[in-house]
Amino acid sequence: MHILLPPSEKKATDGDGPPLDLASLSFPELNPVRKRVLSALGRACKRKDAADVLALPPGQADDALARNKVLHEAPTLTVARLYTGVLYDNLDLPDLDAGSAAEQIIVFSGLWGALRLTDRVPPYRLAMAVSLPPAGRLGTLWRPAMRKALPQDGDLVVDMRSGPYASAWKAPQPAVAVRVFRERLVGGAPKRTVVSHMAKAARGRIAHDLLKAGAAPRTPEELLKAVADLGHTVELNGPNLDVILHD
């Protein structure tokens, strides 16, 4: 089983490792594009309109640009430590077997393409939805390299990525995209709505529970049973595993 995760805008900043070494990263076939994106990002950060180009919130722009300008010299930290925020809080990596999690989780990134939890990179800020001159939209830029670099081994893919990150690589079959809905009664009838913040928490919890249990589903139907057995309310709807949260 492969579990695909998005990154987090929130990141730890206490790097204590050696400077960036692209040759040490997983999926080395992505390195030519990594170099291209690093170069384009360095140029973009020198522009007067850098914050707008990178779609950085005003209160976070200065810090993000400062970090992006020193990516080759900054101390690194493992991906397992780098990403924080709601999804990763609920993923609770310290509670999991490190080897199993590192083998099964792939984290997608606008800057690095895809990473394993053991990879070491510096804190950065670059979302996949950004159109980075002159490279263009990152999801489109990464797509050809991703097709060659990422696993095509027939194992079940559990896709927990958000839209822009999912656009960079279409997971091969068998694959299931995890969606999250809140269900409540409206006028006596159940009504479902898409949620965002709660969806991150739910995806993190489900990934944690699957890994903690040592689950090894090979088909969407086996995944449905495994997640349901772990106490979650789920339905299989076509290519999607729908998680239902109740008030």
Side-chain angles (χ1 to χ4, degrees), residues 72-83:
H72 291 283
E73 300 84 28
T76 58
L77 64 167
T78 62
V79 170
R81 287 177 51 206
L82 175 66
Y83 296 113

Side-chain angles (χ1 to χ4, degrees), residues 149-238:
L150 297 188
Q152 306 269 349
D153 52 16
D155 287 347
L156 179 67
V157 175
V158 183
D159 193 348
M160 300 189 175
R161 297 172 295 171
S162 51
Y165 294 93
S167 74
W169 184 57
K170 183 178 180 180
Q173 295 300 315
V176 177
V178 177
R179 306 188 302 184
V180 182
F181 298 90
R182 170 190 278 174
E183 184 173 280
R184 62 179 65 181
L185 290 177
V186 178
K191 181 179 180 180
R192 292 179 182 177
T193 55
V194 177
V195 293
S196 54
H197 183 83
M198 293 171 64
K200 295 177 183 178
R203 290 184 178 113
R205 284 195 299 271
I206 288 173
H208 172 276
D209 292 350
L210 286 168
L211 291 166
K212 185 73 173 180
R218 295 165 296 177
T219 66
E221 292 75 19
E222 290 182 5
L223 176 67
L224 174 71
K225 184 178 186 306
V227 176
D229 287 348
L230 290 167
H232 302 277
T233 302
V234 286
E235 299 173 355
L236 196 59
N237 291 311

Side-chain angles (χ1 to χ4, degrees), residues 100-115:
S100 178
E103 182 179 348
Q104 296 185 76
I105 290 175
I106 303 174
V107 181
F108 284 70
S109 161
L111 179 53
W112 314 110
L115 297 166

Side-chain angles (χ1 to χ4, degrees), residues 67-144:
R67 294 192 184 284
N68 284 348
K69 290 176 180 178
V70 295
L71 291 173
H72 291 283
E73 300 84 28
T76 58
L77 64 167
T78 62
V79 170
R81 287 177 51 206
L82 175 66
Y83 296 113
T84 60
V86 175
L87 188 153
Y88 288 88
D89 287 346
N90 284 272
L91 179 60
D92 193 12
L93 286 170
D95 186 51
L96 299 175
D97 178 78
S100 178
E103 182 179 348
Q104 296 185 76
I105 290 175
I106 303 174
V107 181
F108 284 70
S109 161
L111 179 53
W112 314 110
L115 297 166
R116 295 286 189 186
L117 295 177
T118 51
D119 289 325
R120 302 190 71 101
V121 294
Y124 69 97
R125 186 70 175 267
L126 183 64
M128 187 69 81
V130 166
S131 183
L132 191 61
R137 190 165 294 279
L138 292 173
T140 303
L141 177 66
W142 280 112
R143 204 170 295 144

